[in-house]
Amino acid sequence: MESMEVKIINKSHHPLPSYETHEAAGMDVRAYLPEGPVVIRSMQRALIPTGLYMQLPSGYECQIRPRSGLALNHGISIANSPGTVDADYRGEIGIILINFGENDFTVNDGDRICQMVITRYSHVKWEEVKELDRTKREDGSFGHTGTN
């Protein structure tokens, strides 16, 4: 498994994002709410601060993903899932939580609110052509292979 060092500033009093298990791809990120809890009403969204600022190496991004337990148990997700933090961004990482559940959801200081995955990306150089290579699938779209 590859590892790398990433510079990070933590202005919260919470631990840095961390992997809960050895094989986990995502690190849990905590809410930083020194002013008190935030209530997200059903079908509403809120920007939740983390107190984290990072400097990613060029060619890497930070993906912000929902936590499956919050999604299943409370309908809480990431509004722009997955969110992307670019390598040249230096501001505080904020998490846009959305409540798809029926009940209000309270976010407390220190709650684990999302997962963070650091991954490589490539820039694309477009090659304009008149025709694409043929495939068996061709233009088959959503559900074209059936449901079983």
Side-chain angles (χ1 to χ4, degrees):
M1 187 175 322
E2 183 181 328
S3 66
M4 64 181 195
E5 290 187 10
V6 174
K7 294 179 181 178
I8 190 166
I9 296 171
N10 184 0
K11 293 187 178 181
S12 82
H13 52 273
H14 303 300
L16 290 174
S18 61
Y19 302 101
E20 292 299 313
T21 66
H22 177 69
E23 295 294 326
M27 295 174 271
D28 286 341
V29 177
R30 297 177 182 274
Y32 177 51
L33 299 169
E35 305 297 319
V38 171
V39 176
I40 308 172
R41 304 209 184 287
S42 179
M43 299 311 294
Q44 299 292 309
R45 61 193 175 279
L47 179 62
I48 307 297
T50 64
L52 300 174
Y53 304 73
M54 74 171 80
Q55 179 179 324
L56 292 170
S58 181
Y60 285 82
E61 68 164 322
C62 168
Q63 295 180 2
I64 302 298
R65 301 177 181 179
R67 293 192 70 229
S68 58
L70 288 179
L72 177 64
N73 298 323
H74 304 284
I76 302 301
S77 191
I78 307 296
N80 60 327
S81 181
T84 295
V85 179
D86 294 309
D88 58 354
Y89 178 69
R90 296 295 185 270
E92 181 179 13
I93 296 170
I95 310 303
I96 307 169
L97 291 184
I98 188 164
N99 182 355
F100 290 118
E102 297 172 2
N103 301 313
D104 292 354
F105 181 79
T106 302
V107 182
N108 295 294
D109 184 49
D111 283 354
R112 293 181 296 161
I113 56 171
C114 67
Q115 292 202 345
M116 169 188 290
V117 174
I118 309 295
T119 188
R120 292 179 195 236
Y121 66 86
S122 299
H123 275 183
V124 171
K125 288 194 235 179
W126 294 109
E127 177 188 352
E128 285 194 77
V129 297
K130 300 285 184 203
E131 193 173 292
L132 301 175
D133 295 344
R134 307 274 322 231
T135 68
K136 180 179 178 184
R137 181 178 180 174
E138 290 298 325
D139 64 354
S141 190
F142 303 101
H144 81 283
T145 60
T147 59
N148 295 335

